[in-house]
Structure formats: structure tokens, C-alpha cells
Amino acid sequence: MSLLDRVRFCQRRDLGRYRRFMVDGQAVGWVKPDIADRLRGFPDTFRVEDSAVLLDERFGDFASRSQAVDAVLRRLREEGAFPGWREEPYPVGTDFHLPPLLKMERAAVPSFGVRAYGIHVNGHVGDGEAMQIWVARRSRFKPTGPGKLDHLVAGGQPYGMGLAENLVKEAAEEASVPAALARQARPAGFVSYVMENEEGIRNDVMFVYDLELPADFEPRNTDGEIEEFFLWPLARVVERLETSEDFKFNVALAIVDFLVRRGLLSPEHPDYLPIVHGLRLSG
């Protein structure tokens, strides 16, 4: 096992099994095969073809598209689809900074393979090789990655909320980081990947932030999504990444990116080029 293995784990997919999800003539995702078959039962909303699933063009604006899709998703949920339903809509579109074409329940997003966005905060104490990293253990009741190791703060980007606003909210809920301190988090780029798992296609962009924390800061979870926190030396974090699958898959990716950006993973590393290339992939 290696850091490169952690990167390649997020590149596994066979898109040939999926149908393109088309909205208003634009490709916005890949529909999971079993979901595509079930969408045939809703011909007034979706047209299922050999290579694509098309949202009916009579839904011509954001509101009507969102309403029509939501009605179908709720019917499928009653039939057992989309475990982990959150009542949290995500935007669906072709670009983060363009108006979305519709919004969709978060739990259904991987089944349609649409691009989702999120924030990940590397909370650290000190700098350089003496740096310590705050690590969280996810609740064992989480629908995704139960019990896995996580960042100090991380969360999906819901519809209708700005990135800075979401960061402050997630920081308060997940680790009791005061708003003034959370606002000191420094944007540091993004990590992206397209991977296939049991949910469907995870087509994600994670905006990453670095936050240096005071030595006396003690995180405390308030929303029940984190079981415990650890302050680990950097070497222990790297060792756990290289020898186990304990970190949630996309968290591992963001930490590898952190190591690259901070010069803690140098170009002399034999896997440096494929690692860096693999941190920003899209389908």
C-alpha cells in the first residue's frame, strides 16, 4: 500500500456501464444502471435511451425541473432507493459558478453521477515536519464512511449557500471552531475525482482549506457526526495513510494534496508525478 494507492482508489470507474444524464441538452452526470431502469416507470419526466437518460424538455426552468425530479426521487425513496436521505438539496449544473439547472436531494446525487462540491479543512498545529494534524473519527452511524478517519472539518456544499458561509457553519457544528477562527482558514485550491462505488459515480470537487490552530484549541463535536478527535504528529498521519485504509477515501486524497502543497512530499518521491496528476481528475 502507498500514497499512490490512495490516489488511484479514487480513480476506479467503468463509465461504459452508465447512461449520460442530460438536462436541457447538456450532459451533467452518469445514471446508475439500476436507477436508469427504474426511471422507465416515469415516462412523463424521464426518457431512457440506450446511451442517455434525458429529463423531459417541457421542464424548462430551474423550478419546474427541480420539482419534477424531486417528485420522482421521493417515489423511488419509498421503494427503498437512496438510503441516507438528508433533505439537503445539491445544485446540478455544468460549472460551479454558473446558475444550476436544478437542485437534487444529496442522497441521490451519486446515483445520477452529477458533480458535487464540498469543503475540506486541514486543521494543523505548528508547521513543517514538527506539525501536528487534527484527525476526527466519523460516527459509526454515518451513511458514508462510518467509523473512518476524517478531517477536523469537512462537509458537502448545499444549494443556496456560499463556500465561506458553509465553512463557518460546518466548523461550528463539527468541531466547535469559533467563527472568527474559522474565517482564518486559507483557501488552498481543490482536489477532484470521478470514482465508482456502491452508490454509483462520485463526481466530486473538494475545495481545500488550511487552518493553523492555537496549541490550546480543543475541538468538540456538536452535531453527532464525529465520535472523537486526535491530535497526531504528521509522521503518524502519513504512516496511517501508507499502511491502512482507515481514512475516508476522499479525505486521504485531500491530505496527500496537503503534503504536496507544503513540500512534505517532494518531487524526489518516486510516485510524485502520478500522485500530483491524479489529484485533479475529471471524467
Side-chain angles (χ1 to χ4, degrees):
M1 190 172 296
S2 66
L3 297 181
L4 181 57
D5 290 330
R6 304 273 57 80
V7 173
R8 286 178 171 165
F9 184 86
C10 295
Q11 300 171 356
R12 307 170 309 152
R13 75 263 190 164
D14 177 10
L15 297 178
R17 303 192 309 112
Y18 292 75
R19 291 175 173 88
R20 276 307 235 163
F21 182 33
M22 305 294 297
V23 178
D24 193 30
Q26 301 178 76
V28 295
W30 294 269
V31 183
K32 193 178 178 186
D34 64 314
I35 294 297
D37 290 339
R38 296 171 77 166
L39 293 179
R40 295 183 190 276
F42 302 91
D44 291 339
T45 305
F46 293 100
R47 186 168 81 251
V48 180
E49 299 181 345
D50 290 342
S51 61
V53 174
L54 298 89
L55 182 63
D56 196 290
E57 292 181 359
R58 67 191 175 89
F59 304 113
D61 58 24
F62 175 88
S64 64
R65 294 183 194 119
S66 300
Q67 184 177 9
V69 170
D70 187 65
V72 172
L73 296 184
R74 290 182 184 278
R75 285 279 302 279
L76 294 179
R77 179 197 182 196
E78 293 172 0
E79 299 172 6
F82 316 127
W85 189 280
R86 295 173 173 86
E87 295 292 350
E88 183 179 351
Y90 272 19
V92 177
T94 59
D95 186 272
F96 183 74
H97 292 290
L98 291 177
L101 298 170
L102 69 145
K103 59 182 179 180
M104 171 185 290
E105 158 61 31
R106 175 179 181 173
V109 163
S111 293
F112 285 78
V114 301
R115 172 149 289 179
Y117 300 88
I119 56 155
H120 281 247
V121 180
N122 297 289
H124 64 97
V125 177
D127 211 340
E129 294 185 358
M131 181 191 305
Q132 294 176 293
I133 304 289
W134 277 108
V135 175
R137 183 176 300 282
R138 296 165 65 82
S139 165
R140 298 172 199 276
F141 300 101
K142 291 278 287 181
T144 303
K148 290 287 189 178
L149 298 179
D150 205 334
H151 277 112
L152 174 73
V153 175
Q157 186 64 29
Y159 169 73
M161 181 177 290
L163 288 167
E165 179 186 4
N166 190 32
L167 191 155
V168 170
K169 177 185 78 69
E170 292 287 346
E173 293 175 351
E174 295 198 352
S176 298
V177 179
L181 179 56
R183 293 190 184 100
Q184 295 179 25
R186 182 176 63 85
F190 72 94
V191 169
S192 60
Y193 58 92
V194 180
M195 67 173 285
E196 182 179 7
N197 64 9
E198 67 281 356
E199 300 174 282
I201 296 295
R202 292 290 301 259
N203 178 13
D204 296 344
V205 172
M206 304 185 302
F207 295 105
V208 292
Y209 295 78
D210 297 343
L211 176 60
E212 185 168 2
L213 294 158
D216 60 354
F217 173 77
E218 291 284 344
R220 179 175 55 85
N221 182 248
T222 64
D223 63 4
E225 295 190 359
I226 298 297
E227 290 188 357
E228 55 187 335
F229 293 97
F230 314 97
L231 183 60
W232 283 355
L234 180 65
R236 183 173 182 182
V237 174
V238 175
E239 184 270 338
R240 189 65 66 92
L241 282 172
E242 290 182 323
T243 62
S244 77
E245 297 180 7
D246 292 346
F247 277 95
K248 183 169 174 274
F249 62 92
N250 55 3
V251 174
L253 207 63
I255 295 176
V256 173
D257 172 71
F258 179 81
L259 298 176
V260 171
R261 291 187 291 99
R262 292 298 181 114
L264 301 168
L265 184 67
S266 75
E268 282 75 25
H269 190 286
D271 293 330
Y272 184 83
L273 289 175
I275 284 174
V276 174
H277 178 68
L279 292 173
R280 293 169 188 85
L281 291 182
S282 61

